[in-house]
Amino acid sequence: MNAYEIVLKSREKGRPTAVKYIEKLTENFIELHGDRRFSDDSAVIGGIGTICGKPVTIIGIEKGADTADKIAHNFGCAHPEGYRKAVRLMKEAEKFHRPVLCLVDTSGAYCGIGAEERGQSEAIATSIMDMIRLRTPALSIIIGEGGSGGALGLSAADEVWITETSTYSVISPEGCASILWKDAQKVAEASDCLKLTANDLHELHAVERVLEEKEFSDEFFAQLKESIAAFFEQKKNVPPDQLVQQRYERFRKF
């Protein structure tokens, strides 16, 4: 597949969303709500569950499955309160020494007037800063679209993994084409230029692992579950100061 075909695949109807991943990867998941400031953002699903018997804080950006579900979850475009909820849950995880798993699938953060009035850019910047400083292991997985700051707000982890037909980019191909060429029809050319595919990102060291999807079968989720558990087991004895320093150095390389 070329880059634009992968873009379309990352947005494909029927692709498993964060809720599906949580269902397949965790046991005993309990959702927690609200940012304790304004409201509960349904685009961000967060809570506590166990993975292979070990407690983990899970935070996912949820796009929704069908039309009604997509509307209910604001098409995966999080408001400031979504990122503030995520930060609240990360800090709670840090307090109780739980690792953090983020599942990222968004075309970008919500850009409406209300979100701007409530400090969208500040909320994303704070989420990035607090995640980099987190004194507990953190892993982010791009499971569909990883769009702009909306994705980066939950991707400042020890490692970032990506499924093979997901994308991760500073801007959508449509937005890039409109800005560079003033022509949205050049979206395929923009997709190539952005280096947004899993293989491109791996070559650029923007992600650490590309996950073979295997049509999102039970085998895929079983192997992913074991990989996540093994990653957190490997990281659990790393001193907090070292975790933070390694995370900082990872992002300074960019």
Side-chain angles (χ1 to χ4, degrees):
M1 286 188 287
N2 63 35
Y4 187 54
E5 287 171 339
I6 291 174
V7 169
L8 296 177
K9 189 77 173 173
S10 73
R11 302 167 176 171
E12 194 172 57
K13 185 178 180 181
R15 188 182 183 91
T17 63
V19 165
K20 182 71 170 180
Y21 275 79
I22 291 169
E23 176 190 321
K24 290 287 189 177
L25 297 176
T26 68
E27 312 95 25
N28 312 311
F29 179 72
I30 299 170
E31 187 176 355
L32 301 175
H33 297 272
D35 68 342
R36 301 297 185 267
R37 296 188 190 184
F38 182 74
S39 71
D40 183 47
D41 184 2
S42 59
V44 177
I45 305 290
I48 305 166
T50 56
I51 295 179
C52 296
K54 301 293 177 66
V56 177
T57 290
I58 305 105
I59 303 164
I61 302 178
E62 172 61 27
K63 276 188 172 180
D66 55 31
T67 302
D69 202 28
K70 288 177 186 294
I71 292 170
H73 292 286
N74 204 38
F75 297 85
C77 296
H79 292 77
E81 47 272 20
Y83 294 101
R84 290 175 180 138
K85 172 167 68 171
V87 168
R88 180 175 75 82
L89 296 180
M90 288 180 206
K91 288 185 174 180
E92 180 191 80
E94 181 181 66
K95 179 179 179 179
F96 293 101
H97 310 292
R98 284 193 304 269
V100 175
L101 172 65
C102 291
L103 303 167
V104 178
D105 185 13
T106 180
S107 58
Y110 187 64
C111 56
I113 292 174
E116 296 299 328
E117 288 175 341
R118 297 193 299 278
Q120 183 71 286
S121 59
E122 181 275 336
I124 293 171
T126 298
S127 184
I128 294 169
M129 180 177 67
D130 285 349
M131 194 171 185
I132 286 179
R133 292 174 174 175
L134 206 60
R135 296 172 66 81
T136 195
L139 171 66
S140 293
I141 305 176
I142 313 294
I143 61 171
E145 285 187 278
S148 193
L152 191 58
L154 294 182
S155 301
D158 301 310
E159 288 190 7
V160 176
W161 299 354
I162 187 170
T163 65
E164 59 188 344
T165 62
S166 291
T167 61
Y168 189 28
S169 174
V170 68
I171 192 172
S172 70
E174 292 84 359
C176 176
S178 295
I179 291 169
L180 291 186
W181 294 286
K182 305 294 188 289
D183 182 2
Q185 298 302 313
K186 294 207 172 187
V187 63
E189 188 173 347
S191 299
D192 287 329
C193 292
L194 285 168
K195 302 295 181 186
L196 45 62
T197 68
N199 289 334
D200 286 334
L201 294 160
H202 192 255
E203 288 176 11
L204 292 166
H205 306 292
V207 301
E208 278 73 20
R209 189 181 299 190
V210 177
L211 303 169
E212 186 181 349
E213 292 169 356
K214 300 179 181 177
E215 298 182 345
F216 301 109
S217 62
D218 287 343
E219 181 188 1
F220 164 78
F221 285 107
Q223 289 183 355
L224 179 56
K225 185 174 183 175
E226 290 178 7
S227 296
I228 293 168
F231 176 80
F232 286 143
E233 184 67 22
Q234 172 197 339
K235 290 287 184 181
K236 75 175 185 180
N237 293 322
V238 178
D241 288 341
Q242 188 177 331
L243 270 179
V244 174
Q245 184 62 31
Q246 289 174 349
R247 214 176 287 137
Y248 174 80
E249 289 171 358
R250 178 187 186 276
F251 281 89
R252 288 301 297 169
K253 287 178 185 176
F254 294 165

